[in-house]
Amino acid sequence: MTRLPGDGEKVTADTGSARVWNVTEPDRSFARGDFLSVGPSLFRRVREGGRRRARLAWLRRTRPPEVSLHGFRVAVDYQRWSKTMVEVFYRGLYEVDEVEVLRRVVRPGDRVLDVGAAVGVGTMAAAEVVGSDRVWAVEANPELIALADRNFALNGLSPTLIHAAVVPDAHTEDTAQLFLHEHFWSNALFAKVSDARPVSVPARRISELVQELQPNVLVLDVEGLERDLVLGTDMSPVQVLIIETHARYAGRRAASDIVAYGLEQGFAIDLVDGVGETLVLTKRLP
């Protein structure tokens, strides 16, 4: 791969066809409001902010086919993605919390089922710990399957990728209707906006997947339908549940119901490893 300019070097667009810029650190400069601190730390933040701006300027000008995100090479789809989506990847903000949680929680020897894998970033975070043969990724959006496969190949990983919408056990059909939104991370089995585009996709029932694959770590990121997948499902093989609650639009009640059901099933709330809206329920507290 063509070597990229370092922080202390002049930024140039002439880096060859395989242009990648490292944005592994999320752009959270001054996010905590502590930029008024005086002394060397202030100047360090100013310097780092300047480097981030230089990186962003280089990315926007050159539009590389890949970026480095959380330590992984990740392809950017300029044809389908909006400017907002591209910017999120440029800034290193995509799946920050989920990747952080996975790297804290997943242990060697685990079997990980990642439901709602999208472009596979969280899947790769699990696979780097346990190996590809112990990770399964499920994604409903047909437009993301090839992209996830490409990202796996770029990083020398080969987790099993299943194209399907994971549905509650009460769903009796072999297909489901997925609504595609402008931003792929908003795709869901219900329309959030009036211009969402419906497509028919294969369906897999949650209990069948859990019993078939026997994961002890289950990751759920299905844009507000987490409650419907968790409640009533036999989670006996699962030791750790990592759930994007999406409480902002799924509602706090839905998140509370997930917690209550988890407690009934013998899980405890992991207050250390959970981050933001990423809830961790575990049976293996020390």
Side-chain angles (χ1 to χ4, degrees):
M1 180 186 302
T2 304
R3 189 182 68 84
L4 299 177
D7 285 336
E9 300 176 358
K10 181 180 178 181
V11 176
T12 175
D14 185 16
T15 55
S17 59
R19 296 169 300 183
V20 184
W21 187 265
N22 192 326
V23 289
T24 57
E25 290 298 323
D27 185 10
R28 288 174 169 172
S29 54
F30 306 145
R32 297 192 179 110
D34 57 355
F35 57 91
L36 294 178
S37 302
V38 296
S41 61
L42 172 61
F43 296 105
R44 183 171 60 252
R45 293 188 184 96
V46 172
R47 185 171 63 250
E48 291 173 352
R51 290 172 177 171
R52 291 190 181 97
R53 287 190 292 273
R55 292 167 181 167
L56 282 171
W58 184 87
L59 287 164
R60 292 163 181 161
R61 184 170 65 252
T62 62
R63 292 167 63 87
E66 306 159 14
V67 294
S68 179
L69 184 68
H70 311 311
F72 301 111
R73 294 173 63 188
V74 177
V76 180
D77 189 343
Y78 293 101
Q79 291 185 335
R80 290 194 175 99
W81 293 2
S82 68
K83 182 179 179 180
T84 298
M85 295 173 65
V86 171
E87 192 75 7
V88 167
F89 277 74
Y90 280 178
R91 290 177 177 269
L93 297 176
Y94 178 69
E95 298 291 29
V96 173
D97 291 347
E98 182 176 326
V99 169
E100 181 178 345
V101 169
L102 284 164
R103 286 175 168 163
R104 289 180 182 179
V105 171
V106 175
R107 303 174 182 175
D110 283 342
R111 296 170 60 88
V112 182
L113 174 58
D114 184 12
V115 176
V119 297
V121 175
T123 305
M124 293 189 292
E128 72 176 354
V129 177
V130 303
S132 296
D133 60 333
R134 303 184 70 84
V135 179
W136 293 263
V138 187
E139 174 53 43
N141 186 349
E143 297 176 356
L144 296 183
I145 295 299
L147 199 57
D149 258 336
R150 179 181 174 188
N151 289 335
F152 296 157
L154 285 171
N155 293 278
L157 299 169
S158 55
T160 301
L161 181 58
I162 302 169
H163 176 214
V166 177
V167 295
D169 293 340
H171 188 92
T172 58
E173 300 179 4
D174 293 330
T175 60
Q177 195 171 53
L178 176 71
F179 290 88
L180 303 182
H181 296 71
E182 178 186 10
H183 301 149
F184 71 70
W185 48 69
S186 296
N187 296 336
L189 297 181
F190 61 95
K192 299 178 183 177
V193 293
S194 59
D195 61 349
R197 178 164 52 95
V199 295
S200 179
V201 298
R204 294 292 304 272
R205 281 170 281 280
I206 179 67
S207 288
E208 293 176 359
L209 272 176
V210 170
Q211 295 306 314
E212 174 187 340
L213 301 177
Q214 294 288 301
N216 69 319
V217 177
L218 176 59
V219 185
L220 294 176
D221 185 358
V222 289
E223 303 307 316
L225 290 179
E226 289 79 9
R227 177 187 180 277
D228 295 337
L229 293 184
V230 171
L231 267 60
T233 300
D234 179 7
M235 296 287 180
S236 54
V238 180
Q239 293 181 310
V240 180
L241 271 169
I242 301 172
I243 302 174
E244 292 283 342
T245 61
H246 300 104
R248 285 170 294 175
Y249 53 84
R252 295 181 180 178
R253 170 58 61 187
S256 297
D257 290 345
I258 291 172
V259 171
Y261 184 74
L263 295 176
E264 290 176 5
Q265 298 297 305
F267 290 91
I269 304 172
D270 188 338
L271 297 176
V272 175
D273 291 325
V275 178
E277 290 190 352
T278 305
L279 171 70
V280 179
L281 300 176
T282 183
K283 294 180 179 178
R284 59 186 189 191
L285 287 174

